[in-house]
Amino acid sequence: MRGAEALTNPGVPVAAIRTTCPYCGVGCGVLATPDGRGGAAIAGDPDHPANLGRLCSKGAALGETLGLGARVLHPLQRNAAGGYDRVGWDAALDAVAAGLRAIIERDGPDAVAFYLSGQLLTEDYYVANKLMKGFIGSPHVDTNSRLCMSSTVAGHRRVLGSDTVPGNYEDLDSADLIVLVGSNAAWCHPVLFRRMQQNRSQRGARIVVIDPRVTATADDADMVLAIKPGSDAVLFAGLLVHLAANGLTDATYLARHVSGYEAALENARQIAPSIARVAERTGLTPVAVSRFYELWGATPAVVTAWSQGVNQSAQGTDKVAAILHCHLATGRIGRPGGGPFSLTGQPNAMGGREVGGLANMLAAHMGYAPVEIDRVRRFWNAPNMAQTEGLKAVAMMDAVAERRIKALWVMATNPAVSLPRADAVRAALGRLDLFVVSENVLSNDTLSAKPHLVLPAAAWGEKDGTVTNSERRISRQRAFLPLPGEVKPDWWIICEVARRLGFGGAFGYAGPTEIYAEHAALSAFENDGSRDFDIGSHAGSTKQSYDALEPVQWPVRAGRPLGTARLFAQGGFFTGDGRARMTPLAVPGLAAGTSETFPLLLNTGRVRDHWHTMTRTGLSPRLSAHTAEPTVQLNPTDAARFGVTEGGFARIATRFGAVVLKVALDAGVQTGSLFAPIHWSAQTASHARIGAAVQPACDPFSGQPEMKATPAAIAPVAYAAQGFMLTRETFALPERSWWAKLAVEGGEGRLFATDATPADLMAAVRTAFGEDGLTEMVDLEGGVYRCAVVQDGRLVAALFVAPFGRAPLWDTVKQAFADDAAMPENRLALLAGRGPDGSADPGPTVCACFGVGLNAIRAAFAGGAATPEDIGRQLRAGTNCGSCLPELRRIGAQARETVAA
Ligand code: SF4
């Protein structure tokens, strides 16, 4: 809960505020009802077209993430000793402006850069882009969206002429075939995946999953194509050849609306001359390839949707283009139930694209053609227009390392964790002459690079503006909490710096309404219909109309306020001649292959209940319970080959860095591959910043790094003991420990493995907590130590450790830790690992919404439950957001296999 400074009319009921989820690109509508004590009740907005009332586990737990405990609440300035002093806003902003001015005067505008985020609102993004590209005169504005969907942007612009998603979410309801390429939608776009599942169950739509890794999404698929990493473009080139060879192309559409077809087809024939060759290059069987081609070819209402498996690739742009080619060749684009569909990762990656948040775009979907530079210059009345494309994220950090960029302002992102070669990035950031971070939370690894200034920025619930989701739908994010401490919105911070740099006249906005209206006006400025992004209908936005803005899909051209559901069914591409441009693919292959030293390919991605670097989801005990610690997943065959075992630990090393992760065997991971999650930082785990091991190689067109296929080695790591710790405050484990930290009800939990002895741990506990209220179970010879510390009738700490391989279960103790009243009389039961009522450990959480554990679900299946629906009736698991339904199916299947065996 928030401190007294944040209270608003305590006890007075407040109506629900309509806002938008801050996590993924689905862009679900949220109803937030402030409780008057700094928190809010969260529900899905039934009137929002993106989700129709649904939320996934992450969205449903937003209310658990509103506390102020980890927030940056005041401007901070680094002092000579390397610590931080609290300073006033004037001093902080003066220091930023003076630092920028000095570096610009000394080294020129190209020496300064902004690194932004798909978490920013469009209005924040707009003023940051305008300041840098129009007034400071540097093109170096890039964003973490570079890591997310820039290959889609490049593919869209190459083939469609503009960065336009042709269709919308309703197509997922009405498609007869949904092909998911490189997308674990069940975990990463859960609400959309529910819509796809509903289409399948109610209309009989078929779902095909194309992914090297068999994920939860594949559990519900009619066909699973586990292709070789990086071979997607070959598969779709072969599909184009198949469509042409079997008379399945739309000759009329091609003749009227597409150029380059013959050259693209000839190129596809060279890449994929036969089914056999496609099978060989993709690792699929010829039968599987043929079945997929026949299904795709025979189903006019087909949506091909893709996500990071396509984008985060050295051939990402070609992969996107190869998919677009198949839809163009069949005219299956912009029609109800049919079209290519990019599933955006972040909540406002699309909004960032709209304002020019990417280094290779200028503003309002305009690029760096001279006429566009001049148009934007005149609109902004800008004195120092950037004249060329700027540096993309990886190249930007190279420039920081080489001291070509000397001032960097990072907003709302965590590059010291998320960028490839993250250790080198962190070191480079520490060498900047001026390093500014605008941030919500202290638990951001990037702060460990010691920025000169930390500016407290508004968080979700406090911010006011717009975001655009994957289907081009602009929605309002509305504030429902007051700004705590001295926190300010990003747009305000940027405009205050602009004013101090002498540009106040162009940045004198009274609020986000005026910024949005200007952004809308720019989109329509000298736009005769030749530019896709046009929200001119909103150029006259007033506070009243802006506050009342309903979700709407752009273009929203002047006089057409209802927006545009689909584009391109009748051509009209934004290419000058109106024709889409099919273009030969390069298909260069993976950035780097395996070798004797690095014989595996490291794939990275998300887990179900966490988001990015966990600075928000990591605050929720519910969300933290599902995947409590970072694992490396690999095929049992590779595990045997490299001597690692389920539940053990392994070091994953690449040319760029190394991590140590717990091992989880998964037959769904191809032999030759490893999978590791992206979420853990130095704040939440001792050795799990996977970005440190990821290669910096990028797609040559988009600049998006290949984060799915870094050559890597794996080797076992041995620890003597393992256990867990629950504390109200942070407790430092001995140095020879691996740990993962997570939020639990009432405090902090750590799962650890260690070479420290039980005696070492016992001593550490006694030093930290004293012996008053300490109950212990000690078997030092047997390597066992368990303790509970009860103070003032309250369990304040528990530590269990045992020899490695005999990890004590912790869910029962976690429950006791959350339930103060139950424990004092039950300390011995607690140390025995049983609940106050003698109940056994419920096991790891599967259903985050209702806190249902694995053991309870297994027991229900063993007791006769046959389906996830049965489990829902008995335990409620899976009956809310549905994110755990694929896991329930897997557990049920395992239970049936056990019985059969
Ligand atoms: S699917 Fe989940 S994370 Fe994504 S926007 Fe909806 S509620 Fe948020």
Side-chain angles (χ1 to χ4, degrees), residues 98-438:
L100 286 172
R101 185 183 294 109
I103 291 167
I104 293 165
E105 285 174 1
R106 187 187 69 198
D107 301 309
D110 271 5
V112 303
F114 290 167
Y115 186 62
L116 310 179
S117 163
Q119 311 288 303
L120 289 173
L121 302 183
T122 298
E123 292 74 4
D124 304 324
Y125 247 130
Y126 178 84
V127 291
N129 190 58
K130 177 180 175 181
L131 173 60
M132 186 58 91
K133 292 180 182 166
F135 290 76
I136 290 176
S138 166
H140 305 318
V141 176
D142 214 45
T143 158
N144 62 12
S145 298
R146 180 70 58 193
L147 316 179
C148 169
M149 38 28 65
S150 56
S151 291
T152 288
V153 176
H156 278 164
R157 293 178 83 200
R158 181 204 284 181
V159 178
L160 307 180
S162 58
D163 179 22
T164 316
V165 173
N168 64 26
Y169 294 163
E170 287 178 5
D171 297 334
L172 301 170
D173 304 330
S174 57
D176 294 325
L177 173 64
I178 298 166
V179 180
L180 287 162
V181 194
S183 165
N184 185 6
W187 283 16
C188 302
H189 297 92
V191 166
L192 283 189
F193 189 62
R194 289 293 301 278
R195 285 177 79 152
M196 298 177 209
Q197 287 175 306
Q198 194 166 317
N199 182 2
R200 184 173 181 265
S201 61
Q202 294 179 356
R203 292 186 59 259
R206 278 159 297 183
I207 297 177
V208 175
V209 174
I210 300 170
D211 197 320
R213 189 168 64 106
V214 179
T215 64
T217 302
D219 288 353
D220 218 18
D222 298 273
M223 187 185 295
V224 179
L225 301 178
I227 59 174
K228 282 183 191 169
S231 64
D232 318 55
V234 174
L235 185 66
F236 280 89
L239 176 58
L240 184 64
V241 174
H242 169 86
L243 296 169
N246 291 279
L248 296 169
T249 57
D250 183 336
T252 305
Y253 190 89
L254 282 169
R256 287 187 184 159
H257 305 305
V258 180
S259 60
Y261 170 63
E262 291 301 335
L265 178 59
E266 181 51 34
N267 167 259
R269 285 183 177 129
Q270 289 169 11
I271 295 165
S274 65
I275 297 281
R277 184 78 178 113
V278 172
E280 182 189 325
R281 293 189 70 175
T282 58
L284 302 172
T285 66
V287 171
V289 174
S290 293
R291 280 186 56 218
F292 169 59
Y293 287 176
E294 284 162 15
L295 182 60
W296 205 99
T299 315
V302 52
V303 171
T304 308
W306 67 89
S307 195
Q308 311 311 3
V310 165
N311 292 329
Q312 292 179 335
S313 163
Q315 331 87 29
T317 305
D318 271 347
K319 289 181 181 180
V320 172
I323 293 169
L324 296 176
H325 287 176
C326 295
H327 280 272
L328 288 170
T330 49
R332 295 172 184 175
I333 187 165
R335 302 180 196 277
F341 207 116
S342 153
L343 300 177
T344 305
Q346 299 196 80
N348 199 30
M350 182 83 88
R353 289 143 80 168
E354 291 158 10
V355 303
L358 291 166
N360 51 325
M361 296 169 76
L362 186 51
H365 277 201
M366 285 180 275
Y368 278 91
V371 65
E372 293 172 314
I373 296 171
D374 183 59
R375 183 182 298 129
V376 177
R377 179 190 63 75
R378 286 184 285 110
F379 181 85
W380 281 343
N381 195 20
N384 299 308
M385 280 301 295
Q387 298 296 316
T388 59
E389 293 185 6
L391 295 170
K392 297 165 185 157
V394 172
M396 181 184 282
M397 294 305 155
D398 287 344
V400 170
E402 293 160 11
R403 292 195 43 78
R404 286 179 283 126
I405 286 179
K406 300 196 177 70
L408 182 70
W409 188 348
V410 172
M411 301 181 203
T413 185
N414 202 347
V417 181
S418 54
L419 275 169
R421 216 176 25 184
D423 284 347
V425 168
R426 187 168 59 184
L429 293 174
R431 294 196 289 271
L432 284 158
D433 290 351
L434 176 65
F435 181 26
V436 181
V437 171
S438 295

Side-chain angles (χ1 to χ4, degrees), residues 114 496 670:
F114 290 167
E496 283 297 310
Q670 287 189 12

